[in-house]
Amino acid sequence: MIVQEMVKLAGKKILKLICYGTGPRGNIPGRFETIDVSREKLKTNGLESTAYKIAKTWFIEEDKSKYFYLCEEAGKQTSLKATDNALVAMKNWDGVKNLQNIKNETLIVWGDQDKAYNFNQVETLNDNISNSNLKIIKGCSHNVHLEKPDEFNTIVSEFLKKN
């Protein structure tokens, strides 16, 4: 969401855009749970429990993934208020109208089993950004960069080197 806002504000200053693990809507249709449910669970269960449960959805092997602990710990390093504010910001953000204004060469990377952003979200990006290229990484959830880092890094590196 942040890079989509950056390109909206200063698109001519951005050579290439990478949309990874994102879509054009913060309030994601088909998300593993609604933003309101996530907010309620945050209030009811607390930050640690919520960080654990959400981070699990970002990996195919859930909490057994090699790098799960990184995401869980990152989630615990914030505050309840900051986390709730981030969820509110997500719920209220919609970038669909701006997609056709993005003229930058854009790489879209998506894990084929992402529970955070479903294929419809990614397809909307790809269909509406005229100069986009979609790369789907098989056998990954939301954290492709941690589940298949070599493949992810190769795709990003090739995109950045390309003229």
Side-chain angles (χ1 to χ4, degrees):
M1 294 184 299
I2 293 169
V3 299
Q4 290 176 60
E5 286 298 309
M6 288 172 62
V7 80
K8 183 165 97 176
L9 296 172
K12 291 184 189 310
K13 295 181 180 181
I14 297 170
L15 297 177
K16 294 184 177 194
L17 182 67
I18 299 174
C19 293
Y20 159 57
T22 191
R25 294 176 190 87
N27 196 13
I28 306 158
R31 186 175 181 259
F32 61 91
E33 64 188 26
T34 66
I35 298 285
D36 289 334
V37 168
S38 291
R39 291 185 70 209
E40 281 305 311
K41 286 182 177 179
L42 176 64
K43 290 175 191 165
T44 303
N45 301 328
L47 186 60
E48 286 196 19
S49 175
T50 302
Y52 174 82
K53 288 178 182 175
I54 289 178
K56 272 179 46 168
T57 69
W58 293 347
F59 296 93
I60 296 291
E61 295 179 352
E62 297 185 333
D63 58 350
K64 293 175 185 44
S65 176
K66 180 177 180 180
Y67 295 112
F68 166 79
Y69 75 95
L70 291 172
C71 297
E72 180 187 26
E73 282 304 311
K76 291 181 196 177
Q77 298 302 315
T78 186
S79 68
L80 280 171
K81 184 159 181 60
T83 303
D84 189 55
N85 286 341
L87 289 168
V88 170
M90 277 183 68
K91 182 177 178 180
N92 294 324
W93 183 79
D94 189 332
V96 173
K97 290 179 186 171
N98 187 55
L99 294 178
Q100 294 192 7
N101 297 323
I102 298 174
K103 304 302 179 198
N104 312 68
E105 185 178 359
T106 303
L107 172 65
I108 302 165
V109 181
W110 182 69
D112 72 338
Q113 296 180 47
D114 192 337
K115 295 177 191 133
Y117 285 90
N118 59 44
F119 186 71
N120 180 268
Q121 287 278 85
V122 174
E123 187 175 43
T124 300
L125 287 175
N126 195 44
D127 289 349
N128 289 281
I129 299 174
S130 61
N131 195 11
S132 65
N133 183 12
L134 172 60
K135 295 289 187 179
I136 299 173
I137 311 299
K138 296 197 181 291
C140 292
S141 187
H142 190 58
N143 280 332
V144 174
H145 69 293
L146 295 174
E147 291 186 296
K148 294 203 176 171
D150 293 338
E151 190 172 346
F152 177 83
N153 290 335
T154 297
I155 288 168
V156 170
S157 179
E158 288 175 2
F159 171 72
L160 293 175
K161 287 178 187 175
K162 187 172 71 170
N163 289 333

